[in-house]
Amino acid sequence: MAVLPRRDFLALGTAAAAAAMLPGKAFADIATGVKLHGLSAFGDLKYKADFTHFDYVNVDAPAGGIFNFSPPNWGYNQDTQTFNTLNSFADKGDAPPRMEMCFDGLMVRALDEPDAVYGQVADGVTLSDDRNSFTFSLRPEARFHDGSPLTAQDAAFAFKLYKEKGHPDLSLSLTHMVEATAVDDHALRLTFSGKQSARTVLNVVEFPILSKAFYTANPFDSSQMNPPLGSGAYKVGRFSAGAWIEYDRVPDHWGRDLPVNRGQNNFDRIRIEFYQNRTAGFEAFKKGEITYREEFTSRVWATAYDFPALSAGKVVKHEFPAEKRPTMQGTAVNQRRAQFRDARVRQAIALCFDFEWTRRNFFYGSYERSQSCFEKSDFRAEGPPSPQELALLEPLRGQLPAEVFSEAVVQPASDGSGRDRKLLGRAVKLLNAAGWKRSGDFVVNDKGGRLSAEFMVDDDTFVQVYSPWVANMKAVGIDATIRLVDSAQYQSRQATFDFDLLSAAFSFSATPTRDDIEAFFHSRTANLPGSRNLPGISNPAIDALIDLVGAAKNREDLNVAMRALDRVLRARCDWIPSWFLANHRSAYWDMFGFPEQKPDFGFPVEALWWVDKGKAAKIGKG
C-alpha cells in the first residue's frame, strides 16, 4: 500500500523488560500490569528504555533548506497528481501526500526493526490482564500547533472518529475497538472486544491524533480545505489546490528532542508539486524545480538521464536497496463484474500478458517477473506445500482450487515474441471451458454477450505498456480496451470499484497483522468503498487463512500462514502478478546529506535527509 504511503521513556520493570526483550516471545505473552516503553509483535525490541535516538539517523544533521520532491509512495485518500481536500483521513476526496507529517501519534515505528513501535505522544503503555485493554500514559508537554494541550480527550475523540468515519486504512483496524476512554487528561484506554488480532494495536498506535476542538468546529469530510490543527513536526504552509503544497517545519515542535524524533525532520520546508503525467514531472526535475525523484519509467531511467545538469555532476543517479518488506504489484480483475468471476477467465487474461517481450522492449531488462502477492519476503510460497502448510490447507480442501495442493502456481514464461501462440492457445481453451465461444472477432457467452475487459489507467506510460497486452486479449477474442482518465476520476472510480482491470502496487508491513491482510483479501472488505480489496475477493477459505495469520504466535507460524494464503491467492488469480524492482531508482540534485546506512524497513527521504550547504553552494543552489 502506498503510502502513503512513513521519546523519553520510563524504565521497565524487571518482568516486563525480560518479556519485551525475549526473542520469539509471542506478543500475547508479554507481561501485563507494567508500563512498557515499546511493543513488537513477538517481543523482540532492539532499543532499550533509555535509548537516545534510532541508529539510522544523524543526530548532528543540520536544519534548514527546502526539499522539493515527487513522493514515490502515499496512503489513505492521497493523490500525487491533484488534491481537493486537506483531510487525508476521510474516506473520500483527494488529499496531498504527507499530510500525516502534521500529526503525532501515540507511538512510532522503528525503521530498522520489522514491527517495533516506541512512544511518541505516549511515554508508555500498560496491558490489562486479559490483554484486551491498553492504557497509554500521555506526555503532559504534548501540544498542538496553536499551543493548546494535546490530551487523552483528543486521542479518544480521534479513535472514535476514525472508527465511525475514517478511511478504511484506519477504520478496519478499529473494527473490534469497543471503547476509547480518557481516564484523565494524560491517560488513554483503548479497549477491544477480544476478537481483534493480538497485533492490531501495532497498527492503531501510529494513527494521527486529531484535535477534538478543531473537528468539533469543522466538518470531518472531503470538503475540508482549512488546514487542520496538528501537533507534528510540520504544519501546512502555503498551497494552491491541485498544483502544489508546502509543509513548514515547526521550530518549537513540542517533541523535537524525543529519542524517536532526534536526527529527523531536518528540512525547514517540504514542497510537493503536482503533475498530470510523469513526463511533466521529469522535465521539472531536469530544470531543478524538483530536487529529488524516484524513477518508475524504465525507458527514462535507461535513456533520458543525459541532460546538462547530470553531465555537469549537479545531479546524481543512485540505486538504493529496497526495503525488506513484502510487496505486491499486479492487475486486479474486478470480480464484482460477472464476466470475471470464473477463475479460468482471469487465467486466460493473465496468459495474454507477455512479460518477457515487455521487459525487453519497454523495461530495458530492469524488472523481474512478480509471481507472489508477497514478493521479496519469506511469505512467498515455493514448490509444493510443506507439511505445516498442508495442516492449514487440508481442512479447507473442498473450498480451494486443486492447484493449491501441488507446486505453487507461477505465471509461465513466454517465448518473448510478443504473441506466444502456445500461451494464447491455452488462453483460448480456458475461455472455451468457461463457456465463452468464438463468434466472429470475439468470444461470446450463451446469450451472445461479448467478453469485454477495459484497463483503466491514469498515465500515458501505461497506455503504451498495456497496449500489447490488449492486442493479445483481442487475438483470443476478448473485447479489450484501455481507458485513460484524469487522476481525480481514477481515484474516485478505484474507491467505488468502477473498473474492469486496474493495476496497482502496494507494500505490506514486514510483520503483517490480520487487519493489514483483511484490507486486501477479506470478504468483509469486498464491498467496502475505499478498501484495498480491488478484485472484490470474497471467499470463506481465504477468510479462514487470514484468521490464522492473525492468530500466529511466533514468526514461523506467521510465515507458514502467509505462505498458505499466498498459495491460494496465486491459484485463484485474483491479482495477475506483473513485475517488481529490487532497488529504488533515485535521482537527486547533489545538495543533500543522508545517513550512510539505509534502514531495512523504510525509506522516508524527506524525514532522514538534510541540506548540505557546501554541496548546495557548489552546484548553485546555496
Side-chain angles (χ1 to χ4, degrees):
M1 143 176 92
V3 203
L4 20 197
R6 324 87 54 109
R7 326 182 172 165
D8 172 28
F9 305 105
L10 299 177
L12 288 171
T14 304
M21 296 300 292
L22 184 61
K25 195 75 170 176
F27 178 77
D29 292 336
I30 292 176
T32 60
V34 182
K35 184 183 286 188
L36 307 171
H37 76 287
L39 295 171
S40 73
F42 305 117
D44 42 356
L45 292 174
K46 172 181 177 180
Y47 295 97
K48 297 182 179 180
D50 59 352
F51 85 103
T52 59
H53 60 83
F54 291 131
D55 291 345
Y56 51 83
V57 305
N58 175 12
V59 293
D60 298 317
I66 299 174
F67 187 63
N68 193 338
F69 81 127
S70 299
N73 56 355
W74 55 95
Y76 307 119
N77 65 350
Q78 296 170 0
D79 195 329
T80 57
Q81 294 183 331
T82 189
F83 69 96
N84 50 38
T85 179
L86 292 179
N87 184 355
S88 192
F89 313 121
D91 62 352
K92 294 181 177 64
D94 301 271
R98 302 306 185 261
M99 279 298 299
E100 62 273 14
M101 296 188 306
C102 300
F103 301 87
D104 289 321
L106 294 171
M107 308 180 90
V108 296
R109 196 170 295 268
L111 300 181
D112 55 351
E113 298 179 82
D115 52 42
V117 291
Y118 298 90
Q120 189 180 53
V121 169
D123 64 10
V125 57
T126 303
L127 282 65
S128 65
D129 288 343
D130 64 5
R131 297 182 174 85
N132 289 328
S133 291
F134 304 82
T135 301
F136 298 88
S137 171
L138 274 56
R139 302 179 193 276
E141 66 268 30
R143 290 288 184 275
F144 287 106
H145 294 148
D146 65 353
S148 61
L150 188 164
T151 69
Q153 284 82 5
D154 295 296
F157 170 83
F159 283 106
K160 292 174 183 176
L161 188 62
Y162 290 148
K163 180 180 172 72
E164 180 184 358
K165 297 181 178 180
H167 188 278
D169 287 354
L170 299 161
S171 63
L172 283 172
S173 290
L174 298 173
T175 299
H176 300 297
M177 185 189 79
V178 295
E179 193 174 48
T181 306
V183 179
D184 57 42
D185 282 352
H186 305 300
L188 169 75
R189 180 181 300 122
L190 299 180
T191 303
F192 294 83
S193 66
K195 297 179 181 179
Q196 77 283 358
S197 165
R199 302 188 297 279
T200 290
V201 71
L202 297 178
N203 286 351
V204 305
V205 295
E206 294 188 275
F207 288 177
I209 298 175
L210 306 178
S211 164
K212 180 178 180 180
F214 179 87
Y215 278 113
T216 300
N218 295 273
F220 183 82
D221 61 28
S222 59
S223 70
Q224 187 60 250
M225 288 299 285
N226 182 20
L229 178 61
S231 60
Y234 288 88
K235 62 181 179 180
V236 174
R238 301 184 306 147
F239 64 89
S240 175
W244 53 270
I245 188 169
E246 293 179 346
Y247 299 102
D248 296 332
R249 189 166 61 87
V250 179
D252 58 349
H253 176 226
W254 74 270
R256 65 185 181 276
D257 294 323
L258 294 177
V260 292
N261 288 341
R262 292 189 66 205
Q264 303 183 60
N265 307 313
N266 303 308
F267 298 109
D268 279 347
R269 181 171 300 139
I270 294 174
R271 181 181 172 99
I272 298 174
E273 309 270 358
F274 294 79
Y275 298 98
Q276 292 302 305
N277 57 63
R278 296 182 180 186
T279 300
F282 181 57
E283 291 301 316
F285 174 73
K286 288 162 62 175
K287 297 173 184 177
E289 296 169 5
I290 300 292
T291 51
Y292 176 90
R293 75 182 256 119
E294 284 196 40
E295 186 55 68
F296 295 103
T297 304
S298 298
R299 174 184 54 79
V300 174
W301 185 252
T303 67
Y305 279 80
D306 58 355
F307 49 92
L310 191 139
S311 301
K314 295 182 179 181
V315 170
V316 176
K317 280 179 72 179
H318 185 76
E319 294 197 20
F320 294 91
E323 288 68 65
K324 296 178 180 178
R325 296 170 58 176
T327 61
M328 178 176 72
Q329 182 161 343
T331 297
V333 187
N334 189 356
Q335 295 165 48
R336 301 169 190 87
R337 308 280 168 90
Q339 68 267 35
F340 303 126
R341 290 174 189 158
D342 192 314
R344 292 169 293 190
V345 172
R346 304 193 294 271
Q347 291 161 3
I349 292 172
L351 287 169
C352 293
F353 175 49
D354 192 327
F355 171 75
E356 285 68 29
W357 186 92
T358 303
R359 184 176 190 264
R360 185 177 69 251
N361 288 276
F362 285 133
F363 297 160
Y364 292 80
S366 60
Y367 283 100
E368 301 298 327
R369 182 67 192 263
S370 178
Q371 297 289 355
S372 168
C373 291
F374 310 112
E375 205 58 73
K376 299 188 295 186
S377 76
D378 291 337
F379 308 142
R380 172 176 163 151
E382 300 281 359
S386 68
Q388 293 83 0
E389 290 174 59
L390 283 174
L392 305 185
L393 295 169
E394 281 292 354
L396 305 170
R397 181 180 279 272
Q399 305 172 60
L400 297 174
E403 296 89 341
V404 168
F405 297 91
S406 56
E407 294 284 328
V409 170
V410 297
Q411 300 300 311
S414 76
D415 61 12
S417 66
R419 185 161 291 193
D420 187 317
R421 292 182 179 275
K422 181 178 178 181
L423 296 185
L424 295 183
R426 286 174 55 186
V428 168
K429 290 179 180 178
L430 284 167
L431 292 176
N432 287 340
W436 296 93
K437 309 298 183 182
R438 193 81 179 208
S439 175
D441 291 336
F442 301 101
V443 293
V444 298
N445 59 20
D446 56 2
K447 297 180 180 179
R450 291 181 185 175
L451 174 55
S452 61
E454 179 185 84
F455 272 102
M456 187 174 72
V457 302
D458 63 349
D459 193 283
D460 286 329
T461 299
F462 296 112
V463 175
Q464 297 174 2
V465 171
Y466 293 140
S467 288
W469 192 349
V470 165
N472 279 342
M473 290 165 66
K474 288 180 176 178
V476 301
I478 299 173
D479 185 9
T481 55
I482 301 176
R483 182 181 293 272
L484 176 64
V485 301
D486 64 51
S487 181
Q489 185 181 168
Y490 186 91
Q491 185 95 332
S492 175
R493 290 182 61 178
Q494 175 179 311
T496 56
F497 311 121
D498 183 16
F499 61 87
D500 288 348
L501 307 174
L502 181 149
S503 295
F506 299 99
S507 178
F508 296 94
S509 165
T511 309
T513 67
R514 184 174 68 192
D515 311 298
D516 298 331
I517 304 303
E518 279 186 352
F520 287 83
F521 309 117
H522 198 281
S523 298
R524 74 186 184 94
T525 62
N527 293 302
L528 176 65
S531 84
R532 308 303 180 186
N533 189 348
L534 300 183
I537 301 169
S538 181
N539 180 274
I542 290 177
D543 296 346
L545 290 171
I546 290 172
D547 287 341
L548 293 171
V549 169
K553 300 298 185 183
N554 54 58
R555 197 164 295 281
E556 181 54 34
D557 287 350
L558 178 65
N559 289 346
V560 170
M562 289 289 288
R563 289 172 193 152
L565 176 62
D566 183 46
R567 196 175 293 279
V568 173
L569 294 169
R570 288 159 64 175
R572 286 172 46 89
C573 205
D574 298 299
W575 287 85
I576 299 172
S578 55
W579 54 79
F580 69 92
L581 195 64
N583 298 315
H584 294 279
R585 293 187 298 210
S586 298
Y588 52 91
W589 285 71
D590 194 14
M591 55 185 289
F592 302 113
F594 48 84
E596 184 175 336
Q597 184 65 40
K598 174 189 168 294
D600 285 338
F601 301 103
F603 191 44
V605 172
E606 65 276 18
L608 300 181
W609 288 24
W610 61 90
V611 170
D612 184 315
K613 292 183 178 179
K615 287 184 177 181
K618 188 175 179 181
I619 66 170
K621 286 193 173 285

